[in-house]
Amino acid sequence: VQLQASGGGLVQAGGSLRLSCAASGFSLDYYAIGWFRQAPGKEREGVSAISRNGGSTAYADSVKGRFTVSRDNAKNTVYLQMNSLKAEDTAVYYCAADPSYPRVRIGATPRYWGQGTLVTVSS
């Protein structure tokens, strides 16, 4: 199982970015996906999660109303649309997969992890 997060970069506060989580060598149809982030000097935290069919989603309180998770199983990709970005959103963002939706929820530990992508928000 290989996952790769992409789409990070440098953006000004108030701006937007869309992260992508692409899978290779397997179908994402069978996996729920979680987005996590780790800021310098801080512990990793859960940001968002989406079930296998996209019918259930979850968000950390800190990103509710600003971030939207979605998936396109035909493209084998999950997205995280991030709007109204704040300096405190600066972190390396990771996507992770698990067959079980509860295992990708905030506070859980998914089975498979991808490489991260750095998001830097300048104030």
Side-chain angles (χ1 to χ4, degrees), residues 8 31 36 45 47 49 60 63 68 88-89 97 101 108-109 113 120-122:
Y31 292 88
F36 297 79
E45 62 173 346
V47 174
V63 306
T68 303
E88 51 263 44
D89 294 319
Y101 178 54
T109 303
W113 290 83
T120 303
V121 184
S122 62

Side-chain angles (χ1 to χ4, degrees), residues 9 28 32 36 38 43 51 57 64 70 83 92 98 105 109 122:
L28 276 182
F36 297 79
Q38 187 165 20
E43 293 187 354
S51 60
T57 57
K64 276 181 184 176
S70 62
N83 298 329
V92 177
D98 197 285
R105 293 289 300 271
T109 303
S122 62

Side-chain angles (χ1 to χ4, degrees), residues 64-112:
K64 276 181 184 176
R66 301 188 297 121
F67 290 12
T68 303
V69 62
S70 62
R71 66 190 299 157
D72 186 340
N73 285 351
K75 294 183 178 180
N76 224 25
T77 304
V78 173
Y79 304 98
L80 184 68
Q81 178 67 43
M82 306 187 297
N83 298 329
S84 302
L85 283 162
K86 304 175 181 180
E88 51 263 44
D89 294 319
T90 294
V92 177
Y93 284 71
Y94 300 88
C95 58
D98 197 285
S100 170
Y101 178 54
R103 290 284 300 269
V104 299
R105 293 289 300 271
I106 294 162
T109 303
R111 187 175 307 181
Y112 305 109

